[in-house]
């Protein structure tokens, strides 16, 4: 069983649609990260959060510590948002656990 | 700051060869990590370091070695390469504070034939 589960695995959306990616985890955490990976490219951190909600441009990340669940929302999606989105949690021992990623394709 | 710099970007090895993946960070981060990413799988931790002179095994350390003689550098050594080591490798670093985010290198695509 993976410590971090993401859904959906694959997602195709029309440009302009509102997108939600979900992440559930089973370990006690110090922080949760949402990462973005473009094809053939590196990995960048979008958000790090340990409670509540954060917003950056069209991206919103929320976390519910009690339910061990986080969501990443993309408003007014655009083809340049096409990427793999990875949920990662850092446990209290400073180890990271990664989900397998959600592959998002936004069609013009 | 250059962030986390990994080299090489691409490499093809023959079975039994050895090589070193280089990783450097210029952010004075204490924590450094090596991960491998296989298709359809999450990132798996190979080795990590919490500071210069300190390294520890992760989830999949077999076939690899690391060293951390300075804060900046964290090379990953592959001894006697095997096809199972064909993967994408990522180096990452993070600062000491719990509020610090994690930074990744661009990745190294390694094929063992």
């Amino acid at each position: 069983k993976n410590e971090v589960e993401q859904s959906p695995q694959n997602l195709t959306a029309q440009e302009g649609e509102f997108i939600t990616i979900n992440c559930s985890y089973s370990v006690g955490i110090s922080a949760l990260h949402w990462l973005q990976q473009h094809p053939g490219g590196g990995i960048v951190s979008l958000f790090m959060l340990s409670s509540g909600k954060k917003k950056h441009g069209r991206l919103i990340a929320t976390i519910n510590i009690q339910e061990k669940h986080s969501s990443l929302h993309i408003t007014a999606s655009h083809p340049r948002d096409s990427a793999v989105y990875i949920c990662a949690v850092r446990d209290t021992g400073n180890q990271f656990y990664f989900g397998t990623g959600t592959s998002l394709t936004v069609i013009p | 700051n250059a962030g986390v710099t990994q080299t090489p970007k691409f490499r093809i090895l023959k079975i039994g060869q050895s090589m070193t993946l280089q990783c450097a960070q210029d952010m004075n981060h204490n924590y450094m990590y090596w991960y491998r990413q296989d298709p359809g799988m999450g990132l798996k931790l190979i080795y990590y370091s919490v500071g210069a002179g300190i390294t520890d095994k992760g989830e999949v350390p077999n076939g690899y070695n690391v060293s951390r003689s300075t804060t900046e550098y964290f090379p990953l050594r592959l001894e006697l390469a095997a096809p199972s080591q064909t993967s994408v490798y990522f180096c990452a670093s993070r600062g000491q504070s719990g509020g610090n985010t994690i930074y990744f290198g661009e990745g190294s695509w390694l094929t063992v034939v």
Side-chain angles (χ1 to χ4, degrees):
Chain A
K1 183 187 182 299
N2 290 334
E3 290 83 1
V4 180
E5 299 279 356
Q6 280 184 244
S7 63
Q9 277 191 302
N10 297 285
L11 182 56
T12 300
Q14 290 291 135
E15 183 173 356
E17 283 187 7
F18 181 85
I19 289 162
T20 296
I21 300 170
N22 295 300
C23 174
S24 297
Y25 55 91
S26 58
V27 297
I29 69 168
S30 297
L32 182 143
H33 298 247
W34 280 103
L35 311 170
Q36 182 190 57
Q37 184 176 26
H38 281 281
I43 300 170
V44 295
S45 179
L46 298 173
F47 292 103
M48 183 184 68
L49 64 165
S50 54
S51 65
K53 175 179 171 178
K54 285 190 176 179
K55 185 175 188 292
H56 185 258
R58 294 179 294 105
L59 274 60
I60 302 166
T62 64
I63 188 168
N64 185 318
I65 297 294
Q66 287 73 29
E67 295 186 3
K68 294 189 173 181
H69 182 268
S70 175
S71 293
L72 176 68
H73 306 285
I74 304 175
T75 62
S77 59
H78 190 277
R80 64 174 174 266
D81 296 326
S82 298
V84 175
Y85 293 84
I86 301 169
C87 175
V89 300
R90 176 164 58 82
D91 70 9
T92 52
N94 287 310
Q95 292 302 316
F96 283 89
Y97 299 93
F98 297 85
T100 55
T102 295
S103 180
L104 171 66
T105 302
V106 181
I107 300 169
Chain B
N1 287 350
V4 180
T5 305
Q6 263 183 260
T7 57
K9 181 100 172 172
F10 300 97
R11 182 73 186 268
I12 298 174
L13 275 181
K14 292 185 178 178
I15 294 172
Q17 285 186 321
S18 300
M19 75 161 294
T20 299
L21 296 175
Q22 301 292 345
C23 177
Q25 52 89 10
D26 60 359
M27 298 172 281
N28 202 33
H29 284 171
N30 293 92
Y31 294 91
M32 294 188 75
Y33 308 86
W34 273 106
Y35 295 97
R36 58 177 289 171
Q37 185 181 41
D38 299 313
M41 307 287 287
L43 289 157
K44 299 292 184 186
L45 181 65
I46 305 171
Y47 270 94
Y48 69 100
S49 169
V50 300
I54 306 168
T55 62
D56 213 341
K57 295 179 180 179
E59 189 179 353
V60 290
N62 291 344
Y64 307 94
N65 272 300
V66 293
S67 60
R68 184 98 184 269
S69 56
T70 66
T71 300
E72 294 81 6
Y73 300 104
F74 190 43
L76 177 71
R77 178 84 177 160
L78 279 73
E79 304 282 1
L80 300 175
S84 61
Q85 293 178 303
T86 294
S87 189
V88 183
Y89 292 83
F90 287 95
C91 180
S93 75
R94 186 175 70 82
Q96 177 75 29
S97 166
N100 285 335
T101 193
I102 186 168
Y103 296 84
F104 287 86
E106 288 290 306
S108 297
W109 274 252
L110 177 66
T111 302
V112 182
V113 297

